[in-house]
Each structure stands twice: as structure tokens, then as C-alpha cells.
Amino acid sequence: MKIFNLVMSCNHCANPACTAACPVGAIYKRDEDGIVIVNRDLCQSIKACAVACPYGAPQFADDASEPVKQASWAVAHPMQKCTMCWDRQAEGLQPSCVASCPQRALDFGTAEEIAAKYPTAVRTVVGFPQTDKDSNGNTLKSGDTVPSIFFKPKA
């Protein structure tokens, strides 16, 4: 049996369950690039996003991990998650995880760019949580969110 480690963060899904679950609209998907962003000033720590996300991407800090409360925040520790380093991308840089991966196992781009660059890569939910409930109690299959992640088979 082989075991592979896989560190997951936000998959910036095509149909993110977290955005639909947030009753205050603090999470949204940017039209221009598909990045799922949280507006921490709007977040009220209701945590419906954490329940809805089948990948566990939404995270909530505490005083030990995030001791400084921004004056604009409605709550002391609003939700946080991967931003796909949109600020670095705006400067022409790669996301930090891609730039710092010692094995160069990570890459990023549009789904079309990744599929063209890695023709054997597959967009799959194998090994992901298979079902969960959305904020309305409906069964949500992880494939329904269409995670924006590809896996290249090991040669």
C-alpha cells in the first residue's frame, strides 16, 4: 500500500458551497478570475460556510493565532482561507504555495491552461469527502462543487 500526503486549502470551486451558505454575503466568487474571496469586514462568524464546505477550507482563528482585531471587523476572528494570493498575482507573481513548493509539484492557471500544460492531469474528486449537507440541509456531493484542482498521475 502507498500513502501520499496531500495538503488541501481552498479549491476555489466553480460552484462553491461556502458562498451559497453565507447568509451575510461575506464570501463571493470573483467574476474576473474565479477566486473565492472572503470579505472579513462582513463576516460575522456564523460558520455556515465551514459546515457547507466539504473540504474544510474556511478557518476561524482565536486569540492565540490571530491576536490583533482589525477596527473594521464585525467580530474578533472572522473567517479566513486561501486567497490564491490574488495580491501577488496582481503584481505578476505566483501564489506563495506555488513559488515555494520545493518539489515544484504545484502550478496554477486557468483550467484551460492547466489542462493544456498537463494533458494527463485529471479533474477528480477521488479521495475527497463524497457527501455533505449544504446550508439548507440538502445532500451535497463534493463533485457538485466542481473543485478547481487537477491531479497529474505519477509517472
Side-chain angles (χ1 to χ4, degrees), residues 49-135:
C49 56
V51 173
C53 177
Y55 313 109
Q59 300 293 307
F60 293 85
D62 56 28
D63 288 336
S65 62
E66 184 179 62
V68 179
K69 179 188 184 301
Q70 299 294 316
S72 60
W73 292 351
V75 295
H77 303 289
M79 191 270 275
Q80 56 192 347
K81 60 166 220 49
C82 167
T83 64
M84 201 181 290
C85 294
W86 63 265
D87 52 338
R88 287 178 53 86
Q89 288 189 53
E91 295 179 12
L93 301 171
Q94 296 178 325
S96 292
C97 62
V98 174
S100 65
C101 181
Q103 299 299 317
R104 300 294 175 236
L106 300 175
D107 205 346
F108 84 105
T110 66
E112 294 78 16
E113 291 169 344
I114 296 297
K117 191 172 183 180
Y118 305 102
T120 61
V122 292
R123 195 172 198 173
T124 181
V125 294
V126 172
F128 285 166
Q130 292 304 302
T131 60
D132 208 335
K133 300 285 183 184
D134 68 13
S135 60

Side-chain angles (χ1 to χ4, degrees), residues 135-155:
S135 60
N136 298 318
N138 300 314
T139 298
L140 172 73
K141 295 178 183 164
S142 60
D144 293 344
T145 65
V146 190
S148 298
I149 186 169
F150 289 77
F151 294 94
K152 184 178 175 204
K154 193 168 183 162

